[in-house]
Amino acid sequence: MLTQNLGYPRIGGQRQLKKASEQFWAGKINATDLHEVAQKIREENWQTQLEAGIDLIPCNDFSYYDQTLDTSILLGAVPQRYEAVQAQSDDELDLYFAMARGYQKNGLDITAMEMTKWLDTNYHYIVPEFKADQEFRMSGEKIFNEFKIAKQTLGQKAKPVILGPVSYLLLGKEKEEGFERADLIKNLVPVYIEIFNRLAALGAKWIQLDEPTLALDLTKKEKEAFEYAYRSIAEQVTGVKLLVATYFEALLDNTQLAVNLSVQALHIDLVRAPEQLDEVLALIPDQLILSLGVVDGRNVWKNDYEKSLSLINKAVEKLGADRVILAPSCSLLHSPIDLELETEIDPEIRNWMAFAKQKLHEVKELKQIFEGNNALLEANKAALASRRASQKVHKQVVKDRVSSITDADSTRTSAFPIRQEIQRERFNLPAFPTTTIGSFPQTDDIRQLRAKFKKGDLTIEQYEKSIEAATIESIRWQEEIGLDVLVHGEFERNDMVEYFGEQLDGFLFTKNGWVQSYGSRCVKPPVIYGDISRPKDMTVRWSTFAAAQTDKPMKGMLTGPVTILQWSFVRDDQPRDVTTNQIALAIHDEVLALEKANIGIIQIDEAAIREGLPLRKSKRAHYLAWAVRAFRITASGVQDRTQIHTHMCYSEFNDIIEHIAAMDADVITIETSRSQMELLQAFAHFEYPNEIGPGVYDIHSPRVPTTEEMTSLLKKAAGLLPAQNLWVNPDCGLKTRKWPETKAALENMVAAAQQAREEI
Ligand code: GLN
Ligand code: ZN
């Protein structure tokens, strides 16, 4: 029985790659320095995997920015606009980073390629761009160079990894009309054949092709593309074994297709979808080797060895041990790197956890246990038993409260039209009321303030005095420019999830648990380990302080349950919806506390509700039902006169509009300006009944929009939805912006609302 790994984090244990890339971009180090840092990380990763006893160790899983971008370079799929960069510089890193980040140098101004989320992860990839007559040719040397060096260190264990041809196409985008990207498979496959034969000639024994789209809903044409690609490759590639890796979902209706691809091994994700093993085993042809993804590559918990063993035993019974490979469920790219560095986590809880490095050991230990090492199994059982019984995890009152939630707990007292009337009377706002999404610029001063307080360099009095001053200043200024519904600015918050996680029971924070989000950007998600409760008020202090400074309505500002869940590492010992309901009850209590403190308008951000959507259409209705219900739990129980807002980013609402409407927020603010209100079509078509604030300017850029362009967007919106339901606001929170552009943009925005009041 072999063991393998599909990919290892490449940021480095101390985020060396992040630091080096940013220095390189700032011109502080040169390409040679950057390459050196990268080589060191790769060597360390290989060493770690060797020491863990892994048999097939990935190479070319490293990337300076993103592996899909690497693939585009390898295949010569460089959009035409970058030719000018190539003409100017023959350093391949210049072209590479131009595609990733855009290029503004020597009179050129070229946009970056689009970036989007990698399936259902928080990792973002660079989206390949295709034209109708797209050609491909073997261009990059990276995969060969990395393999050559890997082979020196790893010998036969070195396994090059590449994104498979069909997923490469399907995860890309047509940039012209008149063709489907799956049609390009005929142009693409010859290049893959050339690459594989060259790797074989260099001595590769195995090549891993990632085909995550095999676990998605596929059209007939896309299925045919799979058949065609792998038949052609099998016919023309010799001397190397191919392994197709799927993950994040079950193969379901693609099982037949997947097991019959002409390759030597197939990897399936048995963490996300353990139930697929039966069907795969029932259909598997003789000789195909099955790689069992039994160790969770997406979370931070110790593997349940007993559970994994039962899957392994089942597979071995049918296939024999030599046709089984043990592996993590997916690339470990999505795991933090090393638990050993987390010296401050409660040792009891730490004993239930595993990061990337520990997961490699789990793979090997599973093999040892399979071969009869009982002591390892017993130790694992003991750790899991302690987690199951721990009072740190299990709070009966929380569980009881969740299980007694009724439909009444997720329903507002009156229907929206009644609430609307009462709220109109109460707040007496003008038409096209203006507001912002919550945060104001987080200047260096503000960040330093929080950092100093955290370090103990400031007393709580000193700290709060400064935050109060910043809050008052922002309120005065909001009043001056004439905004209608004010916010306190969120100066006391580091991050919209962390701020709440730190105050709720059931969360812990790591020191170094970084995971790559995109390029050099890493995130450090909180860990939800136990039943969640709210020991005391979380936001009332700052909201009431702010409200007392003004006669205008002050919005209370909360993060919603699905967003808190989505942006954390979650428990794997209970269903996600149960955890979400626990958070929902905690936020619900905070909403009531704010209402009691006379905060009349409360915003509950659900930035990530769309992001949690399951990859398979058949699973979406279930998710949407509990996600929407969780939001409604937070928002219910208040009086009709209390106005509930929600905010969503990264919007694309067409397919989920009825569920957005079912959230029944009194006001929703969304991101629409970049699409010129196009995203509003879904709301118009649905005849969305509640109030809505389509963002009138893009906060992701420092550019200050003119009054006229925002007025014209408002006119467009008023053509789609009842004008009396429209609010005026930016696309999202302003914390990443600087003050000068924020002030200028919001002044213009208020003027645009005034114009709209006169002209619409
Ligand atoms: N209230 C948050 C802010 O203004 C919302 C940000 C978001 O949705 N991403 O920063
Ligand atoms: Zn947003």
Side-chain angles (χ1 to χ4, degrees):
M1 188 185 296
L2 292 179
T3 56
Q4 71 160 340
N5 184 27
L6 304 189
Y8 201 72
R10 54 216 178 198
I11 52 178
Q14 307 294 331
R15 285 185 297 156
Q16 300 91 314
L17 186 63
K18 172 197 177 66
K19 291 166 196 163
S21 309
E22 289 174 359
Q23 283 179 318
F24 175 72
W25 298 332
K28 291 189 187 133
I29 63 172
N30 62 29
T32 315
D33 302 329
L34 178 59
H35 288 310
E36 233 164 65
V37 171
Q39 182 51 30
K40 217 158 151 214
I41 293 173
R42 288 191 292 259
E43 289 288 352
E44 268 175 32
N45 286 354
W46 291 333
Q47 218 52 52
T48 304
Q49 295 173 83
L50 266 182
E51 279 160 22
I54 301 295
D55 297 315
L56 300 177
I57 296 174
C59 61
N60 196 45
D61 57 336
F62 177 84
S63 178
Y64 282 103
Y65 203 94
D66 163 52
Q67 71 270 11
T68 309
L69 175 59
D70 296 355
T71 315
S72 290
I73 298 256
L74 171 64
L75 302 170
V78 177
Q80 206 174 346
R81 63 182 181 282
Y82 300 106
E83 274 169 19
V85 180
Q86 283 170 296
Q88 228 174 55
S89 153
D90 48 14
D91 187 340
E92 55 190 29
L93 277 181
D94 279 345
L95 170 67
Y96 182 78
F97 287 131
M99 291 166 76
R101 312 176 63 234
Y103 192 83
Q104 279 181 317
K105 234 198 318 229
N106 310 329
L108 292 179
D109 185 357
I110 306 172
T111 55
M113 292 174 76
E114 195 180 316
M115 186 165 79
T116 197
K117 282 187 190 254
W118 178 247
L119 301 146
D120 62 354
T121 72
N122 197 18
Y123 174 78
H124 301 68
Y125 72 100
I126 301 286
V127 183
E129 296 179 11
F130 305 126
K131 24 181 212 175
D133 59 352
Q134 184 71 46
E135 284 177 10
F136 302 96
R137 64 192 159 76
M138 190 167 82
S139 306
E141 287 295 314
K142 172 176 175 283
I143 189 170
F144 307 110
N145 291 339
E146 275 182 32
F147 174 68
K148 282 184 221 160
I149 303 173
K151 210 179 140 218
Q152 290 165 14
T153 310
L154 305 171
Q156 307 244 328
K157 294 180 175 170
K159 174 192 60 172
V161 178
I162 185 172
L163 180 56
V166 184
S167 294
Y168 175 72
L169 289 179
L170 297 187
L171 293 169
K173 218 172 172 177
E174 295 92 350
K175 287 285 160 175
E176 290 174 358
E177 304 272 302
F179 76 107
E180 284 176 49
R181 55 200 188 283
D183 296 331
L184 298 175
I185 194 72
K186 297 221 159 89
N187 297 355
L188 181 58
V189 161
V191 186
Y192 271 85
I193 292 171
E194 205 183 334
I195 293 166
F196 293 163
N197 281 324
R198 188 161 157 207
L199 285 168
L202 289 171
K205 294 291 162 236
W206 280 96
I207 298 172
Q208 171 186 325
L209 293 92
D210 282 13
E211 291 281 16
T213 59
L214 251 184
L216 305 185
D217 299 316
L218 294 175
T219 64
K220 186 159 168 281
K221 177 180 269 182
E222 292 163 350
K223 289 185 189 174
E224 283 166 7
F226 269 107
E227 280 163 358
Y228 169 82
Y230 285 86
R231 199 181 336 112
S232 313
I233 290 170
E235 280 164 13
Q236 294 173 66
V237 172
T238 49
V240 62
K241 293 185 206 158
L242 303 179
L243 173 132
V244 163
T246 68
Y247 35 82
F248 304 158
E249 248 305 349
L251 291 167
L252 297 176
D253 52 326
N254 301 330
T255 308
Q256 191 68 259
L257 170 69
V259 298
N260 287 306
L261 295 176
S262 316
V263 292
Q264 283 66 46
L266 175 70
H267 172 86
I268 54 175
D269 184 340
L270 293 178
V271 173
R272 192 57 85 75
E275 71 287 351
Q276 69 174 325
L277 182 61
D278 289 331
E279 178 150 29
V280 170
L281 288 178
L283 296 177
I284 196 167
D286 291 349
Q287 269 144 34
L288 184 68
I289 295 171
L290 195 61
S291 166
L292 311 178
V294 285
V295 170
D296 194 348
R298 297 277 299 270
N299 214 331
V300 293
W301 303 108
K302 238 178 208 171
N303 189 251
D304 181 340
Y305 284 171
E306 238 182 340
K307 210 157 131 194
S308 300
L309 267 182
S310 79
L311 296 166
I312 296 166
N313 285 330
K314 198 187 256 182
V316 170
E317 214 167 276
K318 165 97 197 237
L319 306 174
D322 52 353
R323 277 177 63 200
V324 169
I325 302 179
L326 300 186
S329 60
C330 60
S331 167
L332 296 175
L333 176 69
H334 312 290
S335 300
I337 299 178
D338 190 1
L339 184 63
E340 278 164 36
L341 303 175
E342 302 299 330
T343 47
E344 277 167 40
I345 299 179
D346 175 343
E348 183 185 346
I349 300 173
R350 219 177 83 123
N351 185 39
W352 310 329
M353 299 172 74
F355 290 0
K357 191 170 167 193
Q358 290 70 39
K359 285 169 191 291
L360 295 171
H361 287 275
E362 292 190 327
V363 170
K364 187 191 56 191
E365 288 191 5
L366 279 166
K367 180 175 161 186
Q368 292 171 327
I369 294 168
F370 175 79
E371 291 166 353
N373 185 334
N374 246 313
L376 289 171
L377 179 60
E378 290 312 316
N380 178 266
K381 275 191 195 166
L384 266 69
S386 110
R387 182 175 171 200
R388 263 193 300 273
S390 173
Q391 305 240 332
K392 291 182 178 141
V393 174
H394 301 283
K395 307 255 152 69
Q396 199 52 45
V397 273
V398 178
K399 292 185 205 299
D400 290 346
R401 208 176 149 203
V402 166
S403 56
S404 63
I405 297 173
T406 64
D407 282 347
D409 296 322
S410 59
T411 314
R412 294 287 298 266
T413 311
S414 306
F416 173 72
I418 299 171
R419 304 198 307 262
Q420 189 178 34
E421 217 178 289
I422 296 172
Q423 291 165 18
R424 286 220 157 124
E425 206 149 296
R426 174 175 185 190
F427 298 113
N428 195 23
L429 297 170
F432 295 99
T434 53
T435 190
T436 59
I437 307 305
S439 58
F440 279 128
Q442 291 257 331
T443 57
D444 286 345
D445 285 355
I446 293 288
R447 284 179 208 279
Q448 271 169 24
L449 203 63
R450 280 201 315 267
K452 276 191 201 149
F453 175 53
K454 214 167 179 181
K455 260 176 63 193
D457 293 351
L458 287 179
T459 65
I460 182 148
E461 291 79 19
Q462 290 168 322
Y463 167 74
E464 294 202 332
K465 239 190 151 57
S466 305
I467 295 284
E468 282 178 0
T471 307
I472 292 174
E473 204 185 314
S474 92
I475 292 170
R476 281 294 90 77
W477 173 79
Q478 292 175 74
E479 287 176 332
E480 256 162 49
I481 68 162
L483 283 158
D484 299 308
V485 173
L486 311 195
V487 297
H488 74 282
E490 301 183 22
F491 300 110
E492 78 287 10
R493 300 187 188 179
N494 35 12
D495 168 274
M496 61 188 282
V497 169
E498 200 171 339
Y499 183 74
F500 290 93
E502 278 175 346
Q503 302 189 74
L504 290 166
D505 283 350
F507 283 77
L508 70 82
F509 291 83
T510 64
K511 273 228 125 56
N512 208 37
W514 296 101
V515 180
Q516 188 178 15
S517 174
Y518 62 89
S520 68
R521 185 169 156 74
C522 302
V523 293
K524 195 154 65 70
V527 176
I528 301 176
Y529 67 88
D531 289 331
I532 293 159
S533 56
R534 169 185 164 278
K536 53 179 194 294
D537 291 350
M538 301 186 282
T539 63
V540 177
R541 188 243 182 263
W542 286 110
S543 281
T544 48
F545 170 80
Q549 313 302 319
T550 177
D551 294 333
K552 295 253 176 115
M554 174 64 60
K555 257 198 287 193
M557 200 57 63
L558 303 171
T559 303
V562 180
T563 302
I564 292 180
L565 180 93
Q566 247 346 89
W567 293 351
S568 303
F569 284 115
V570 297
R571 292 170 65 172
D572 61 351
D573 59 346
Q574 74 183 10
R576 293 166 78 82
D577 59 327
V578 175
T579 305
T580 310
N581 281 338
Q582 294 183 353
I583 308 170
L585 288 173
I587 302 294
H588 163 91
D589 292 350
E590 184 72 14
V591 168
L592 291 189
L594 284 170
E595 181 184 59
K596 200 164 151 221
N598 218 11
I599 302 296
I601 304 184
I602 301 165
Q603 177 175 312
I604 309 162
D605 291 328
E606 276 294 25
I609 224 168
R610 190 170 205 299
E611 192 177 312
L613 205 61
L615 293 168
R616 289 283 198 153
K617 291 202 178 82
S618 58
K619 298 189 176 168
R620 291 186 182 167
H622 173 68
Y623 161 79
L624 285 163
W626 64 253
V628 167
R629 185 164 179 265
F631 175 84
R632 291 175 58 121
I633 291 167
T634 65
S636 298
V638 293
Q639 303 165 43
D640 288 342
R641 66 199 290 269
T642 298
Q643 188 169 68
I644 299 290
H645 290 218
T646 190
H647 166 74
M648 277 180 206
C649 338
Y650 323 113
S651 321
E652 198 185 293
F653 295 113
N654 275 319
D655 47 348
I656 58 167
I657 181 69
E658 63 190 279
H659 304 279
I660 304 289
M663 289 168 73
D664 196 23
D666 296 307
V667 181
I668 182 173
T669 56
I670 58 170
E671 205 173 283
T672 40
S673 73
R674 255 180 303 179
S675 72
Q676 297 296 308
M677 296 286 152
E678 227 172 74
L679 290 166
L680 263 196
Q681 303 276 5
F683 289 83
H685 203 245
F686 185 79
E687 297 183 24
Y688 183 79
N690 298 17
E691 296 186 11
I692 179 166
V696 290
Y697 82 87
D698 177 14
I699 62 90
H700 302 89
S701 136
R703 184 174 169 273
V704 176
T706 64
T707 300
E708 290 65 40
E709 68 190 76
M710 289 187 275
T711 312
S712 94
L713 284 177
L714 284 172
K715 286 185 178 159
K716 225 166 170 176
L720 291 164
L721 287 161
Q724 70 272 15
N725 282 355
L726 291 176
W727 285 63
V728 182
N729 47 262
D731 256 354
C732 195
L734 292 157
K735 75 170 172 208
T736 53
R737 293 272 60 87
K738 304 251 181 297
W739 271 115
E741 75 237 21
T742 299
K743 289 184 172 169
L746 288 178
E747 277 169 11
N748 289 354
M749 187 188 88
V750 171
Q754 265 145 11
Q755 250 178 40
R757 282 166 205 154
E758 286 157 21
E759 293 170 22
I760 298 175

